[in-house]
Amino acid sequence: MDVDALPFSPACLRNQEPILTLLRRWLAPGGRVLEVGSGSGQHAIHMARHLPGIRWQPSERQEALGGLAARITLEGGNALAPGAQVAAPLVLDVTQPAWPVGPFEAVFTANTLHIMPAAAVPQLLAGSARVLAADGLLLIYGPFRYGARHTATSNEAFDAHLRQLDPAMGVRDAEAIQHEAAGLGLHLQADEAMPANNRLLVFQKNAEGHRG
């Protein structure tokens, strides 16, 4: 497949640098990262090109794996940071019990919680808790509500659009996610403001407290 024919996400292009800035802060060199819902694969390639020693494991549902695999094949070995690796993508449906074999130092997912069914969100959290290392991190990027209220009118409109497409989709409540995650031993360490009214939620396994 030619590069021009690869799947492309404008959102990934816009948010990859802000996300990279925070991943530099949170991810230790040499860590193994499972990306849930890698989509076009743009994040996988970008992060591996800028994070030395990172071992990035992309994943997607079976029906979306083709384009992702094509990007990793074409770009996954080019101009990577020293010691960085991008593994061949794996099939992962968070609603199914079969997850990649851990432990991973981090699980990362971007713009997935609002498009997966609401019932799948606890399964994403539980699966992440299972495959994370003892002090591993779960990093979730996307729009969120707080106290059942949207943080911007654009997020409210986006939420209405999603629910019109499928009532099971929608912008999720950050506090509900935090409560569910805590029951799995994943404790919120940071809730970072991101461009375009998005957030990055950072949870750590077997940790306590909130570092701001």
Side-chain angles (χ1 to χ4, degrees):
M1 182 182 292
D2 185 80
V3 171
D4 292 336
L6 293 174
F8 177 79
S9 167
C12 282
L13 186 62
R14 291 192 300 269
N15 65 37
Q16 62 188 15
E17 282 299 322
I19 291 175
L20 173 63
T21 297
L22 287 184
L23 293 190
R24 288 188 196 276
R25 182 190 308 171
W26 286 99
L27 299 183
R32 188 174 179 223
V33 180
L34 170 65
E35 183 183 13
V36 178
S38 298
S40 65
Q42 289 164 249
H43 280 152
I45 299 300
H46 189 73
M47 302 312 161
R49 285 178 174 172
H50 293 87
L51 296 172
I54 202 75
R55 293 173 291 160
W56 199 273
Q57 176 60 71
S59 72
E60 253 301 348
R61 294 175 299 171
Q62 180 67 60
E63 60 268 27
L65 198 68
L68 170 62
R71 181 178 296 279
I72 301 307
T73 297
L74 284 175
E75 300 184 342
N78 299 332
L80 301 187
Q85 303 171 20
V86 182
L90 300 175
V91 175
L92 174 57
D93 181 336
V94 301
T95 67
Q96 301 300 313
W99 276 60
V101 176
F104 293 91
E105 279 69 44
V107 174
F108 168 77
T109 191
N111 287 327
T112 60
L113 270 65
H114 55 265
I115 59 173
M116 65 176 60
V121 174
Q123 293 171 292
L124 166 68
L125 298 173
S128 298
R130 288 196 306 271
V131 302
L132 279 172
D135 59 350
L137 299 175
L138 169 62
L139 305 106
I140 305 175
Y141 171 89
F144 296 96
R145 298 180 303 170
Y146 292 82
R149 298 174 66 89
H150 292 283
T151 61
T153 55
S154 58
N155 283 3
E156 185 174 8
F158 180 52
D159 181 55
H161 171 69
L162 290 171
R163 294 178 189 275
Q164 186 176 34
L165 293 175
D166 184 343
M169 297 196 299
V171 175
R172 308 305 176 197
D173 192 279
E175 290 136 331
I177 293 170
Q178 181 179 349
H179 177 76
E180 182 79 29
L184 297 163
L186 301 171
H187 297 278
L188 187 69
Q189 301 299 295
D191 183 345
E192 305 272 10
M194 303 292 284
N197 302 304
N198 289 299
R199 312 290 299 188
L200 182 74
L201 306 182
V202 182
F203 299 88
Q204 187 171 27
K205 187 173 179 178
N206 299 324
E208 294 183 3
H210 186 300
R211 299 209 290 259

